[in-house]
């Protein structure tokens, strides 16, 4: 290693990490991050080397740092076995907090070791594998993220966050294992990735703006969802969402917007385009009657206003009879919903598919199959 490299590279092995998959390497990772974050050198880089598996308990990689930080992830980072080591109270395993300028790349793997979590209560053990909280100018590419206890990747309160060429995988039966969840964030992109989990491939939560999901394969899982929004009657604001060039394979939903009946606020300027569906249960769906808590699903006088939503160039097969389902609020109608060149057929040869609309207004153009039920 030359002098310049020695000043700006920080290998976790040099800070005491063993990398045998059994020894606790948490302290070594914390020390290596601290040195990298505080380095005055150009392009300071934390190195997690290839050929090693590092057992790491929940850690917080916090900033601010003195310069743009690089993390070269070539090896495997593995979470503890079960919930006992998750003692930070936030149920977040690898959290990057308050950092401006971060690049995580390589050919490495992040293993959430979540098998023992999946039979536990999601409500009381809401674990996240990787979190970016209050960060700016972040990129992560070419990383393999697997077996998360719940959420694989969380983005919260952050701006200019970009994911590319990720592979995110957990079993179809693993509960609440969203691939990427985005909330209270602006300018986030997900591109050229492969996501197959037990929940949404990508979920977009409240106060999210200027989000792009593109050129990505989704399935198995629950599709790409805006929501759920408006739980507990919250006022929501989501706008400028683009989902395009997506292959959905045997997912329960395709392009979905879901809100709670008691929610308020608005979702607007949404585009779902160039979508390919293979045996998807609900290829095109707006559900404003979402509720997963018994006794809290009564109709109210509120509702989130959904407007300016485009579904265009959508093709493929539906695993259910209702291929287009626009189930909007009885109190606040969906407006300016547009269908443009949508051609869906049944995955069961010889069966017909239909459209279903409730208080949905808009227009259709080009070939729309099944026939549009939008009110003019």
């Amino acid at each position: 290693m030359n002098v310049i490299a020695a000043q700006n590279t920080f290998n976790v092995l040099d800070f005491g990490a063993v990398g045998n998959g059994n020894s606790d390497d948490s302290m070594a990772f914390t020390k290596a991050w601290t040195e990298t974050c505080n380095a005055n050198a150009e392009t300071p880089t934390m190195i997690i080397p290839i050929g090693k598996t590092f057992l790491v308990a929940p850690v917080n990689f916090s900033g601010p740092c003195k310069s743009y930080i690089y993390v070269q992830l070539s090896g495997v980072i593995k979470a503890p076995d079960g919930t006992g080591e998750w003692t930070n109270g936030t149920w977040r395993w690898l959290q990057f907090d308050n950092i401006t300028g971060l690049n995580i790349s390589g050919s490495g793997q992040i293993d959430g070791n979540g098998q023992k979590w999946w039979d536990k209560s999601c409500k009381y053990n809401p674990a996240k594998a990787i979190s970016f909280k209050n960060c700016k100018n972040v990129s992560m590419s070419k990383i393999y993220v697997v077996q998360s206890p719940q959420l694989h990747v969380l983005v919260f309160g952050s701006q200019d966050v970009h994911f590319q060429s990720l592979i995110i995988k957990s079993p179809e039966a693993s509960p609440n294992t969203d691939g990427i969840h985005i909330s209270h964030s602006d300018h986030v992109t997900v591109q050229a990735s492969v996501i197959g989990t037990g929940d949404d491939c990508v979920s977009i939560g409240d106060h999210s703006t200027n989000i792009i999901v593109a050129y990505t394969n989704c399935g198995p899982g629950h599709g790409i969802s805006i929501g759920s929004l408006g739980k507990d009657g919250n006022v929501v604001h989501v706008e400028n969402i683009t989902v395009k060039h997506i292959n959905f394979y045997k997912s329960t939903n395709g392009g979905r917007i879901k809100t709670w009946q008691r929610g308020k606020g608005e979702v607007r300027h949404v585009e779902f385009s160039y979508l390919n569906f293979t045996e998807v249960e609900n290829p095109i769906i707006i559900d404003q009657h979402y509720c997963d808590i018994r006794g809290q699903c009564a109709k109210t006088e509120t509702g989130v206003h959904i407007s300016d939503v485009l579904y265009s160039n959508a093709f493929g097969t539906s695993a259910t009879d209702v291929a287009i389902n626009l189930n909007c609020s009885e109190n606040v109608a969906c407006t300016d919903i547009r269908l443009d060149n949508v051609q869906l057929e049944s995955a069961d040869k010889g069966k017909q598919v239909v459209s279903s609309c409730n208080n949905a207004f808009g227009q259709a153009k080009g070939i729309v199959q099944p026939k549009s039920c939008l009110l003019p």
Side-chain angles (χ1 to χ4, degrees), residues 54-375:
F54 300 94
L55 179 64
V56 177
V59 292
N60 189 2
F61 301 112
S62 60
C65 297
K66 290 187 177 180
S67 63
Y68 195 106
I69 299 297
Y70 292 81
V71 176
Q72 180 183 314
L73 174 54
S74 301
V76 177
I77 306 175
K78 186 176 181 180
D81 186 17
T83 63
E85 297 297 325
W86 292 58
T87 57
N88 63 359
T90 62
W91 302 109
R92 292 175 182 171
W93 176 34
L94 306 176
Q95 177 167 287
F96 295 89
D97 186 11
N98 194 28
I99 300 165
T100 299
L102 172 67
N103 179 293
I104 303 172
S105 62
S107 56
Q109 178 173 298
I110 297 173
D111 183 354
N113 197 16
Q115 295 89 335
K116 289 188 177 180
W117 290 73
W118 296 333
D119 291 332
K120 295 180 179 291
S121 169
C122 299
K123 179 178 180 180
Y124 296 108
N125 299 282
K128 288 90 175 171
I130 313 162
S131 300
F132 299 94
K133 183 181 178 184
N134 302 323
C135 292
K136 297 180 181 179
N137 193 13
V138 173
S139 65
M140 186 166 80
S141 62
K142 300 179 180 179
I143 302 298
Y144 192 17
V145 187
V146 300
Q147 312 291 337
S148 180
Q150 285 187 42
L151 291 176
H152 287 75
V153 181
L154 171 67
V155 180
F156 183 88
S158 298
Q159 294 83 43
D160 295 310
V161 180
H162 307 287
F163 302 109
Q164 184 164 343
S165 302
L166 302 184
I167 298 176
I168 300 176
K169 290 289 184 180
S170 280
E172 184 175 3
S174 57
N176 292 90
T177 51
D178 297 60
I180 299 173
H181 180 70
I182 303 160
S183 179
H184 293 75
S185 296
D186 180 57
H187 284 98
V188 181
T189 63
V190 180
Q191 298 194 73
S193 295
V194 176
I195 306 174
T197 68
D199 210 299
D200 295 322
C201 294
V202 179
S203 55
I204 299 167
D206 193 14
H207 294 286
S208 296
T209 56
N210 302 304
I211 312 297
I212 297 175
V213 184
Y215 297 98
T216 289
N217 292 341
C218 171
H222 294 180
I224 296 178
S225 297
I226 299 172
S228 58
L229 303 173
K231 186 177 182 180
D232 300 321
N234 295 341
V235 178
V236 306
H237 176 76
V238 174
E239 68 175 330
N240 297 334
I241 311 298
T242 301
V243 178
K244 61 182 181 180
H245 297 285
I246 309 295
N247 294 317
F248 295 96
Y249 180 75
K250 292 188 175 180
S251 54
T252 55
N253 303 285
R256 174 169 64 162
I257 303 173
K258 55 177 179 174
T259 71
W260 292 68
Q261 292 168 311
R262 296 189 297 169
K264 298 180 286 290
E266 61 182 356
V267 176
R268 62 182 184 177
H269 310 324
V270 177
E271 175 187 339
F272 293 98
S273 63
Y274 299 97
L275 312 177
N276 183 61
F277 305 104
T278 301
E279 297 181 40
V280 174
E281 292 182 22
N282 303 290
I284 292 174
I285 179 169
I286 296 175
D287 179 9
Q288 291 210 266
H289 300 85
Y290 179 77
C291 184
D292 63 356
I293 301 176
R294 185 176 298 176
Q296 296 186 22
C297 304
K299 296 179 182 179
T300 67
E301 297 302 321
T302 57
V304 176
H305 183 205
I306 297 175
S307 65
D308 187 12
V309 179
L310 170 66
Y311 288 95
S312 72
N313 296 296
F315 308 94
T317 58
S318 172
T320 59
D321 294 340
V322 182
I324 300 174
N325 187 0
L326 307 176
N327 187 14
C328 299
S329 168
E330 288 82 358
N331 301 300
V332 182
C334 297
T335 59
D336 194 17
I337 310 300
R338 304 185 307 283
L339 301 173
D340 183 0
N341 197 19
V342 175
Q343 299 180 53
L344 302 173
E345 59 185 22
S346 176
D348 295 329
K349 196 169 183 179
K351 292 190 68 175
Q352 298 296 314
V353 293
V354 299
S355 298
S356 175
C357 291
N358 175 40
N359 214 23
F361 294 81
Q363 62 179 337
K365 59 187 266 188
I367 298 174
V368 175
Q369 177 61 39
K371 184 178 179 181
S372 170
C373 56
L374 286 167
L375 297 172

